Amino acid sequence: MDPNFESKLEAYAELTLKVGLNLQSGQRLLIGVPVYNTGVPLEAAPLVRLLVAKAYQMGARYVDVIWGDDEVLLARFENARPDTLMEYPSWKADVLLDYVQQGDAILTVLGNDPDLLKGQNPEWVSRVRKTVLECTDPAMEYVRRSAINWSVIAVPVKDWAAKVLPDIAPAEQVKKLWDAIFITCRLDQLNPVAAWEVHLRQLVSRCEFLNEKRYLGLRFIAPGTDITLGLPEGHVWTSAHMTNQKGVPFTANLPTEEIFTLPHKEKAEGIVRASMPLSYGGTLFEDFTLTFHEGRVVQVQAKKGEEMLRKLLEVDEGSCRLGEVALVPHPSPIAQIGLLFYNILLDENAATHLALGSAYKFSLESGRSMSDEDFAAIGGNRSMVHIDFMIGSQEMDVDGIAPKGVIEPVIRQGKWAFKVG
Amino acid sequence: MDPNFESKLEAYAELTLKVGLNLQSGQRLLIGVPVYNTGVPLEAAPLVRLLVAKAYQMGARYVDVIWGDDEVLLARFENARPDTLMEYPSWKADVLLDYVQQGDAILTVLGNDPDLLKGQNPEWVSRVRKTVLECTDPAMEYVRRSAINWSVIAVPVKDWAAKVLPDIAPAEQVKKLWDAIFITCRLDQLNPVAAWEVHLRQLVSRCEFLNEKRYLGLRFIAPGTDITLGLPEGHVWTSAHMTNQKGVPFTANLPTEEIFTLPHKEKAEGIVRASMPLSYGGTLFEDFTLTFHEGRVVQVQAKKGEEMLRKLLEVDEGSCRLGEVALVPHPSPIAQIGLLFYNILLDENAATHLALGSAYKFSLESGRSMSDEDFAAIGGNRSMVHIDFMIGSQEMDVDGIAPKGVIEPVIRQGKWAFKVG
């Protein structure tokens, strides 16, 4: 390994464990969460080995790795009998549940070919995905409540890098994607951990500012977009830097540039146009528009992936409603790199976005201890899916609707319209 | 991939599924059994992907892969707190138990650095190994009874190939080890599956011949070795080609050259010298001698690995007694390649061998349905370990002790002393 790359990789591992997970001595750590992908891509081995060694050095009681291989998943779609596609080995859900129930740390490592399942029968893809989501839902509820310290990071793999950087020589693509990820994670800075502390404090200050405002709603205006979202009473703006049930602060995504809360599940009116393509579970959705009425998607149009998008909206009662609204200034450090990553972890931090599906219970005051029914009654959306899609750009304005109907600028031409200390 | 290599790899996958597992339509298949190693080595991905595709084509209901990485295991020994070394994530035993209880097929893929744990504290290595064995013991009982169709194959990985072929250019080592494995698996023959049918029939005929003899015991004589083993009444000679509880024939090892049965656990008298080094769980044992009295090891000497060998003998009550005696003519096709593989799957099929630890219940008439107590009463050894070690060579003679004490030649100068049809 190139020593410069190696030292960056070490710094990335350290950032993941300290700023991302804030791994506690005595905790177990599960690397690989077989929900959004099948586990840790095999190509992530050099990073994973560093994570394992460092986690043990930090006092981890056990470090477990669940590896997954996209090609194995693809081979299933290409060769299995369709009537077997609902098969799911229960251990994958059990292991996850075991870790979250015992209050351990879990780390998702994303690095997947965005086009993996292109050309597969959307009905089958949707069936497999729904089975995984249903089986892992009890475990993911711990994540939605942030009962534990969890984090998500990205690792370049060959097919993904080729998609992001088609004009670069194939032998250089993975390396270049690493460089981009290192920059988004501020690993080009002298002291990345310190740089993250400053950055996370900024995000927290913006949350505090907006939390004092107690807006009734937000209006988003951009070419192709004009939508008004109601915000439920007691909504809380948070960043990905949060605190788990035991009071351990952690950062759920690396990198992260967003602050977010939940919209009222019955109060979305208008139209949104996606400002960037969306890669979800091996399928690519491009140039799509969603029309909302009383919180529900009532119309869908997409240049690419429309059939699959319709299926996603039908997964359950909540998958056609919104669970998250997130503000990201434009250009964010990630957008400045000028790449479309086809990876939600990176792309969602490039632009203001919404998410279809489940809301996070911590986005509501006292929400963590709320029953599903109480959470829903106040406007919190419940679903097995959570699909972020980008709507922000340099042309976006966001208004805050203050009590008594006063309109206040929150974002203008993509940039924050208010200052914090 | 080189097309010639690719077609060999395809043939290997096919042989594994058809002759090895004899995978049945509707079965699930677990690839990777985290007992002897941590799972399927990541470098086995090209073969695994072929196995998965072909298994689905054969009607598998689900194909699961548990990957494992030697470096992750090593990182634990090098960095974890010693007091955490008994930690074991229960899911690894649960998944195995789930597959065997449901009558599915399981495939072990071996490909590990024989020197991985060289230099690690033998006490810790032994503690970790014992924990794994204890936790997976209930599942492995199904394997010992051959309740299901299971198989073991080998896949070259870099560190292993470097150990086997130190004089070859590093870039060529893995390729050369593949070539050797392909030959041991008769993949150089025009129709490997047919070649295996002929070979397995030969082994079965030798078993039938010896089963009719009903020998009371065997005596092994070679330089450094003179040991007499009692054989329990009702002992059965079998090859690795056997039949599971549902009547499905399968071949538990690929390649395989041996026929074997169980010695009486209390009837071993004399001394054996290992004729080849033994690689077990990342530790290498070289040039060792074991002295037996009344079935137990009473003296141990080893040039390399003596401390660890003593620990293995102390794992449980049965680990210092014999559970298997296997006859392999010299030179076997594997020995003819002239390589020491440092891998028990290959090395045990190069020479006549014994195994410390558990006997297979199917090595006794009606043994599969016997309770542990009845099995032990007849002379069957029980242990969590099963460690084959080689004693055969071209200088070995084996005598059969027939009823009434008549001595009959079984092997002379390493070669079979009897012919079968």
Side-chain angles (χ1 to χ4, degrees):
Chain A
M1 252 193 282
D2 156 21
N4 183 39
F5 176 75
E6 203 176 338
S7 78
K8 281 276 191 345
L9 205 62
E10 287 234 10
Y12 191 39
E14 201 142 313
L15 187 74
T16 300
L17 294 169
K18 290 188 174 161
V19 175
L21 292 168
N22 189 14
L23 185 70
Q24 304 291 297
S25 180
Q27 275 196 308
R28 295 188 307 170
L29 167 61
L30 176 64
I31 304 177
V33 176
V35 179
Y36 304 117
N37 60 7
T38 56
V40 181
L42 311 187
E43 289 177 67
L47 175 69
V48 167
R49 291 162 185 169
L50 288 175
L51 286 167
V52 171
K54 283 177 190 291
Y56 279 124
Q57 285 161 18
M58 287 168 71
R61 213 167 79 240
Y62 190 80
V63 185
D64 214 341
V65 185
I66 296 186
W67 304 89
D69 182 39
D70 270 1
E71 299 289 328
V72 164
L73 178 65
L74 184 60
R76 185 180 186 199
F77 280 107
E78 289 178 340
N79 299 285
R81 292 198 325 250
D83 65 309
T84 63
L85 289 174
M86 311 275 282
E87 273 294 328
Y88 183 78
S90 54
W91 69 267
K92 288 193 184 178
D94 293 344
V95 53
L96 200 52
L97 197 59
D98 180 44
Y99 276 85
V100 295
Q101 280 180 335
Q102 294 198 32
D104 292 312
I106 67 174
L107 177 68
T108 298
V109 180
L110 296 179
N112 302 88
D113 176 5
D115 284 328
L116 181 73
L117 301 180
K118 189 170 78 176
Q120 299 307 313
N121 184 329
E123 178 64 38
W124 299 354
V125 174
S126 156
R127 200 181 300 173
V128 169
R129 182 173 298 139
K130 198 172 167 180
T131 304
V132 173
L133 290 169
E134 280 171 356
C135 294
T136 55
D137 195 56
M140 293 310 283
E141 174 64 13
Y142 286 75
V143 174
R144 286 191 290 266
R145 286 193 286 119
S146 279
I148 52 150
N149 39 337
W150 56 280
S151 198
V152 184
I153 61 168
V155 167
V157 300
K158 210 165 137 287
D159 292 338
W160 175 28
K163 178 81 182 176
V164 177
L165 297 153
D167 302 330
I168 305 257
E172 292 294 306
Q173 288 165 337
V174 168
K175 169 92 183 58
K176 288 282 176 207
L177 185 51
W178 267 121
D179 289 344
I181 287 175
F182 288 153
I183 291 171
T184 68
C185 287
R186 295 173 165 76
L187 293 171
D188 53 338
Q189 306 213 10
L190 215 58
N191 184 340
V193 171
W196 274 95
E197 280 167 7
V198 170
H199 170 55
L200 292 172
R201 256 201 308 275
Q202 269 274 333
L203 292 178
V204 169
S205 298
R206 294 212 178 269
C207 290
E208 287 167 358
F209 179 91
L210 288 178
N211 281 332
E212 279 183 19
K213 289 287 182 185
R214 306 204 159 272
Y215 285 140
L216 304 175
L218 295 170
R219 184 177 174 193
F220 298 80
I221 301 166
T225 292
D226 186 352
I227 192 168
T228 300
L229 307 181
L231 297 177
E233 214 181 300
H235 70 270
V236 180
W237 288 93
T238 52
S239 68
H241 188 63
M242 34 191 145
T243 302
N244 78 4
Q245 234 163 22
K246 288 187 180 157
V248 175
F250 67 97
T251 309
N253 289 181
L254 282 177
T256 183
E257 304 290 334
E258 62 176 332
I259 62 170
F260 63 95
T261 188
L262 83 174
H264 193 293
K265 71 188 178 95
E266 284 160 7
K267 296 183 182 168
E269 293 292 335
I271 189 164
V272 276
R273 179 189 287 173
S275 58
M276 292 162 65
L278 164 64
S279 166
Y280 180 80
T283 307
L284 206 58
F285 305 100
E286 283 186 62
D287 207 350
F288 60 92
T289 294
L290 302 175
T291 308
F292 288 82
H293 176 55
E294 293 181 351
R296 288 198 60 193
V297 175
V298 291
Q299 213 180 314
V300 184
Q301 269 189 312
K303 276 236 174 93
K304 207 169 159 186
E306 184 170 309
E307 190 182 349
M308 185 68 85
L309 189 53
R310 285 179 193 281
K311 294 218 170 295
L312 276 177
L313 291 166
E314 290 164 7
V315 163
D316 57 23
E317 172 57 30
S319 59
C320 63
R321 297 179 184 274
L322 295 173
E324 178 186 323
V325 48
L327 304 176
V328 179
H330 190 93
S332 88
I334 293 171
Q336 270 174 317
I337 291 175
L339 290 176
L340 177 63
F341 285 100
Y342 300 96
N343 178 299
I344 194 58
L345 171 64
L346 295 156
D347 290 331
E348 73 161 0
N349 283 301
T352 286
H353 57 273
L354 305 175
L356 290 161
S358 64
Y360 291 101
K361 283 192 170 166
F362 54 75
S363 293
L364 207 55
E365 266 171 34
S366 317
R368 282 199 226 207
S369 52
M370 246 175 224
S371 70
D372 288 354
E373 292 67 33
D374 290 347
F375 184 64
I378 297 178
N381 195 34
R382 278 275 301 166
S383 170
M384 289 184 304
V385 302
H386 180 97
I387 310 162
D388 299 274
F389 63 99
M390 286 62 73
I391 62 169
S393 68
Q394 62 188 10
E395 295 170 293
M396 172 157 276
D397 287 347
V398 181
D399 289 339
I401 305 166
K404 296 177 189 165
V406 179
I407 302 297
E408 297 181 353
V410 175
I411 283 178
R412 281 296 172 264
Q413 300 288 294
K415 292 192 167 50
W416 290 118
F418 63 93
K419 282 217 165 74
V420 290
Chain B
M1 253 193 281
D2 158 22
N4 183 39
F5 176 75
E6 203 175 338
S7 78
K8 282 275 192 344
L9 205 62
E10 288 234 11
Y12 191 39
E14 202 142 312
L15 187 75
T16 300
L17 294 169
K18 290 186 175 164
V19 174
L21 291 169
N22 189 15
L23 185 70
Q24 304 291 296
S25 180
Q27 274 197 308
R28 295 188 305 169
L29 167 60
L30 175 65
I31 304 177
V33 176
V35 178
Y36 304 117
N37 60 7
T38 56
V40 181
L42 310 187
E43 288 177 68
L47 176 69
V48 168
R49 291 162 184 169
L50 288 175
L51 286 167
V52 172
K54 282 176 192 291
Y56 279 123
Q57 286 160 19
M58 288 168 72
R61 214 167 78 242
Y62 190 81
V63 186
D64 214 341
V65 185
I66 296 187
W67 303 90
D69 183 39
D70 270 1
E71 298 289 327
V72 165
L73 178 64
L74 185 60
R76 185 180 187 199
F77 280 107
E78 290 179 339
N79 298 285
R81 291 199 325 248
D83 65 310
T84 64
L85 289 174
M86 310 276 281
E87 273 293 330
Y88 183 77
S90 54
W91 68 269
K92 288 194 183 177
D94 293 344
V95 53
L96 200 52
L97 198 60
D98 179 45
Y99 276 85
V100 295
Q101 280 181 335
Q102 294 198 32
D104 293 311
I106 67 175
L107 178 68
T108 298
V109 180
L110 296 179
N112 302 87
D113 176 4
D115 284 329
L116 181 73
L117 301 181
K118 190 170 78 176
Q120 299 306 315
N121 184 329
E123 178 63 39
W124 298 354
V125 174
S126 158
R127 200 181 299 174
V128 168
R129 182 174 297 139
K130 197 171 168 183
T131 304
V132 173
L133 290 169
E134 280 170 356
C135 294
T136 55
D137 196 55
M140 293 311 283
E141 174 64 13
Y142 287 74
V143 174
R144 286 191 290 266
R145 285 193 288 119
S146 279
I148 52 149
N149 40 337
W150 57 279
S151 198
V152 183
I153 61 168
V155 167
V157 300
K158 208 165 140 284
D159 292 338
W160 176 28
K163 178 82 183 177
V164 177
L165 298 152
D167 301 331
I168 305 257
E172 292 295 305
Q173 287 165 337
V174 167
K175 170 92 183 57
K176 289 282 176 207
L177 186 51
W178 267 120
D179 289 343
I181 287 175
F182 288 153
I183 292 171
T184 67
C185 287
R186 295 171 165 76
L187 293 171
D188 52 339
Q189 306 214 10
L190 214 57
N191 185 339
V193 170
W196 273 95
E197 280 167 7
V198 171
H199 171 54
L200 292 172
R201 257 200 308 274
Q202 269 274 333
L203 293 178
V204 169
S205 298
R206 294 212 178 269
C207 290
E208 287 167 357
F209 179 90
L210 287 179
N211 281 332
E212 279 183 20
K213 289 287 181 185
R214 305 205 159 272
Y215 285 140
L216 304 175
L218 295 170
R219 183 177 175 193
F220 298 80
I221 301 165
T225 292
D226 185 351
I227 190 167
T228 299
L229 307 181
L231 297 176
E233 214 181 302
H235 70 270
V236 181
W237 288 93
T238 53
S239 68
H241 187 63
M242 35 190 145
T243 301
N244 77 5
Q245 235 162 21
K246 288 187 180 157
V248 175
F250 67 97
T251 309
N253 288 181
L254 281 177
T256 182
E257 303 291 333
E258 63 176 332
I259 62 170
F260 63 95
T261 188
L262 83 175
H264 193 293
K265 70 188 179 97
E266 284 161 7
K267 296 184 182 167
E269 291 293 334
I271 189 164
V272 277
R273 179 190 287 174
S275 58
M276 293 162 64
L278 164 63
S279 165
Y280 181 82
T283 308
L284 206 58
F285 305 99
E286 281 186 63
D287 208 350
F288 60 92
T289 293
L290 303 175
T291 308
F292 287 83
H293 177 54
E294 294 181 351
R296 287 196 60 192
V297 176
V298 291
Q299 213 178 313
V300 185
Q301 269 189 310
K303 275 236 174 93
K304 207 169 158 184
E306 184 170 311
E307 190 182 348
M308 186 68 85
L309 189 54
R310 286 180 193 280
K311 293 220 170 292
L312 276 176
L313 291 166
E314 290 163 9
V315 162
D316 56 25
E317 172 56 30
S319 58
C320 63
R321 296 179 185 274
L322 294 173
E324 179 187 322
V325 48
L327 303 176
V328 179
H330 189 94
S332 88
I334 293 171
Q336 270 173 316
I337 292 175
L339 290 176
L340 177 62
F341 284 101
Y342 300 97
N343 177 299
I344 194 59
L345 171 65
L346 295 156
D347 290 331
E348 73 162 0
N349 283 301
T352 286
H353 57 273
L354 305 175
L356 290 162
S358 63
Y360 292 101
K361 283 192 170 168
F362 54 76
S363 293
L364 207 56
E365 267 171 33
S366 317
R368 283 199 225 205
S369 52
M370 247 175 223
S371 70
D372 288 355
E373 292 67 33
D374 289 348
F375 184 65
I378 298 178
N381 195 33
R382 278 275 301 166
S383 171
M384 289 185 303
V385 302
H386 180 97
I387 310 162
D388 300 274
F389 63 98
M390 286 62 73
I391 63 169
S393 68
Q394 61 187 11
E395 296 170 292
M396 173 157 277
D397 287 347
V398 182
D399 288 340
I401 305 165
K404 295 178 189 164
V406 178
I407 302 297
E408 297 181 355
V410 175
I411 282 177
R412 280 294 173 268
Q413 300 288 293
K415 294 192 167 47
W416 291 116
F418 63 94
K419 281 217 165 73
V420 291

